[in-house]
Amino acid sequence: MRVLIFETSELAVDRVVRAVVEQIERKPASILGLATGGTMEPVYDGLSAAYRSGSVSLAGVTSFNLDEYVGLSPEHSCSFAAFMREKLFDRTDMRSNRANLPVGNAVDPDAEAARYDALISELGPIDLQLLGIGANGHIGFNEPTSSLRSRTRVKTLTRATLEANKRFFADGETPPKYAITVGIQNILEAKSILLLATGSAKAKAVATMIEGPLGSYCPATALQMHADTTIVLDREAAAELTLTDYYSQVHPDGQDAPYG
Ligand code: GLP
């Protein structure tokens, strides 16, 4: 794991935006794994700004989002499909027919999960997988005790996750209790992984992910098994790490330090 610690969340976000832009520059037909959540909003703002300024085009990109709520149609305003259109797709030249998400209101959610898994296998591997992290250590919607070998399937959301995400739903609206999510094995099959965490609410999960023992109680610890994972943090999210001095020695201010 490369652990990059930045003084502010803005600098951390800039680093992630730059990594995505560089990935698309290297390979315009990149396959990106995309995440939702509040942490990703400034990343998508940055990518949209990069598109507007002419620094990047998403016209050749194919994307696979991590997850979608069971029961919500892609048109539902609280669906992750709507989130992605609003935050990224409609603000760039991303081709809608190459932007993939599980269909939340599919008649048979298990069959939809299998379809989505097969499509990723057919078109993949994903070149760059973007991730956030839940305060309980989930990635995608792989809640604690998810199999570290899991593939795309329906997961029951924890009460804590429902509570954390209810802010995206209107008053009186009940957030769905289930989601279709890619599995941890799918995530580990990406060629490279870039996880962004900002703010003190993520500090405990971040410390366990990086320094804790591998185990499904904190699903993000599975990233310890991936050979090309970069964790981008702001100072607050890094607050509970033990080896901070070492990470800063290897990557001072989040930069790549030359040998010697
Ligand atoms: C969500 C998503 C995750 C995301 C996490 C954290 O519900 N399924 O992909 O990383 O929870 O979200 P936030 O960035 O809003 O804290």
Side-chain angles (χ1 to χ4, degrees), residues 109-133:
D110 295 325
E112 171 58 12
R115 178 199 70 85
Y116 196 67
D117 200 272
L119 190 63
I120 298 174
S121 297
E122 184 191 331
L123 301 181
I126 284 169
D127 292 299
L128 176 63
Q129 175 67 60
L130 277 186
L131 292 177
I133 182 170

Side-chain angles (χ1 to χ4, degrees), residues 46-155:
L47 281 175
S48 304
Y51 164 72
R52 281 196 303 279
S53 69
S55 341
V56 73
S57 164
L58 277 68
V61 165
T62 294
S63 68
F64 284 97
N65 263 80
L66 289 164
D67 42 22
E68 181 60 281
Y69 289 112
V70 168
L72 299 195
S73 76
E75 287 71 41
H76 191 290
S77 61
C78 299
S79 67
F80 286 157
F83 176 101
M84 291 307 302
R85 284 196 300 273
E86 185 191 324
K87 308 292 180 199
L88 184 68
F89 301 155
D90 289 353
R91 299 163 78 192
T92 64
D93 58 350
M94 180 78 200
R95 301 284 195 264
S96 55
N97 61 338
R98 283 206 281 265
N100 300 286
L101 288 98
V103 176
N105 64 338
V107 180
D108 181 344
D110 295 325
E112 171 58 12
R115 178 199 70 85
Y116 196 67
D117 200 272
L119 190 63
I120 298 174
S121 297
E122 184 191 331
L123 301 181
I126 284 169
D127 292 299
L128 176 63
Q129 175 67 60
L130 277 186
L131 292 177
I133 182 170
N136 64 1
H138 73 225
I139 45 177
F141 267 139
N142 293 285
E143 296 282 37
T145 72
S146 287
S147 160
L148 301 184
R149 284 272 165 86
S150 52
R151 303 200 67 85
T152 312
R153 70 225 183 280
V154 175
K155 281 297 288 180

Side-chain angles (χ1 to χ4, degrees), residues 34-40 66-67 69 80 131-135 138-142 161 164-165 167-168 181 196 202:
L34 299 178
T36 51
T39 311
M40 288 299 141
L66 289 164
D67 42 22
Y69 289 112
F80 286 157
L131 292 177
I133 182 170
H138 73 225
I139 45 177
F141 267 139
N142 293 285
T161 296
N165 285 354
R167 69 189 194 279
F168 294 110
T181 181
L196 172 65
K202 302 295 171 66

